[in-house]
Amino acid sequence: MYTVLITEDEADIRQLISFNLERESMETLLAKDGIEAIEIAQEKEPDLIILDIMLPKLDGFAVFKELRQDSRTRDIPVIMLTAKAQLDDVVTGLEMGADDYLTKPFSPRELVLRVKALLRRIKTTTSKSTITSGKFRLDKNTLHCFVAGEQLDLTPTEFKLLLLMIEREGTVQNREDLLREVWGYRDTANSRTLDTHIKRLREKLGDFSRCIKTVRSVGYQFRSNA
Ligand code: CA
């Protein structure tokens, strides 16, 4: 059973999210401000955190920073909630390393799909837990990624994205499929999530960033020997 921490100061939205996740057999924890969110996250170590940006006491960005600095909470996936008008917030959140975002008002169904997609652990097949391609080696059990023998510090979502592309090496992965499979998006129009994650992934890959090629207006392609 998964536990989700919902951080939202507006009681009706908090209840709406909680109701919809509990209907999917998830356990929910509720925080109404930034301080409470950090305390609950550290104590309960939920499987996922939904984090509103505009919060009393400590805003969502400050909360996120705290979560990423603490070993107990640093790998917990985070979905940020933003007001539709605040697109800058979306970009800031993603660049800080949030896994996904939703703009208000959002449909509860969309939220549930996104939550489930991020919670879906990388399935390990019995025979092969390690996948190798060129200088890349990914261990699906530990979520460790090595490039030319150096371990990269990837978030679980970055790992999932890279793994998917390596498994389909050489074929062009269109944006819609990647957003659907990694994040559970139904409507993929105008999403900043994928491009921001690719950007972060490339930064971490350094010299090997060229292995992820942009295919204009379609998506991305991975080649280990690029
Ligand atoms: Ca708020």
Side-chain angles (χ1 to χ4, degrees):
M1 187 165 167
Y2 289 118
T3 303
V4 178
L5 169 60
I6 302 161
T7 310
E8 167 65 66
D9 54 319
E10 287 166 71
D12 50 345
I13 302 181
R14 204 164 59 229
Q15 292 310 327
L16 176 77
I17 298 173
S18 174
F19 172 79
N20 280 280
L21 294 183
E22 286 184 355
R23 213 168 51 174
E24 300 286 330
S25 308
M26 295 177 208
E27 191 186 334
T28 60
L29 303 165
L30 307 176
K32 53 188 184 311
D33 63 56
I35 304 283
E36 220 174 67
I38 291 169
E39 284 169 1
I40 296 174
Q42 290 174 343
E43 191 192 333
K44 306 275 188 185
E45 299 182 30
D47 299 294
L48 183 138
I49 298 171
I50 295 171
L51 182 59
D52 188 28
I53 291 176
M54 299 289 278
L55 287 172
K57 296 188 184 171
L58 210 56
D59 74 15
F61 296 131
V63 172
F64 186 79
K65 245 183 224 160
E66 288 277 328
L67 294 174
R68 283 299 185 257
Q69 276 163 12
D70 189 304
S71 60
R72 288 166 292 181
T73 53
R74 56 172 303 203
D75 286 330
I76 301 175
V78 171
I79 299 178
M80 283 190 173
L81 298 181
T82 69
K84 197 149 215 146
Q86 309 294 328
L87 259 186
D88 285 354
D89 283 355
V90 167
V91 176
T92 306
L94 288 171
E95 283 181 347
M96 285 174 82
D99 296 87
D100 198 3
Y101 71 90
L102 277 166
T103 49
K104 296 176 186 176
F106 50 82
S107 86
R109 209 185 136 204
E110 183 74 30
L111 174 93
V112 167
L113 284 172
R114 305 276 195 90
V115 166
K116 281 184 169 173
L118 285 183
L119 286 174
R120 217 174 289 135
R121 298 288 186 241
I122 290 135
K123 297 259 189 325
T124 52
T125 51
T126 45
S127 57
K128 231 180 160 195
S129 67
T130 304
I131 176 164
T132 314
S133 176
K135 299 248 192 277
F136 288 74
R137 183 162 57 85
L138 275 68
D139 186 326
K140 295 191 224 177
N141 286 327
T142 58
L143 306 193
H144 287 159
C145 168
F146 298 86
V147 182
E150 296 271 327
Q151 190 176 347
L152 298 188
D153 187 19
L154 302 185
T155 67
T157 303
E158 288 163 354
F159 184 93
K160 201 168 159 184
L161 176 62
L162 182 61
L163 178 70
L164 201 66
M165 288 199 292
I166 289 179
E167 284 179 333
R168 298 167 185 176
E169 178 162 1
T171 46
V172 178
Q173 300 302 302
N174 74 52
R175 305 174 47 79
E176 289 73 24
D177 288 348
L178 288 172
L179 279 164
R180 229 186 333 263
E181 288 178 57
V182 179
W183 288 276
Y185 277 56
R186 279 188 304 162
D187 176 11
T188 57
N190 305 319
S191 172
R192 313 279 181 113
T193 307
L194 177 62
D195 302 305
T196 314
H197 274 79
I198 292 280
K199 191 176 155 210
R200 289 172 54 81
L201 200 49
R202 279 179 173 149
E203 280 165 13
K204 293 183 178 181
L205 289 175
D207 286 348
F208 290 89
S209 61
R210 62 179 185 275
C211 297
I212 301 175
K213 196 178 139 207
T214 303
V215 182
R216 194 190 286 260
S217 71
V218 182
Y220 296 97
Q221 183 184 33
F222 179 84
R223 281 192 189 283
S224 63
N225 61 355

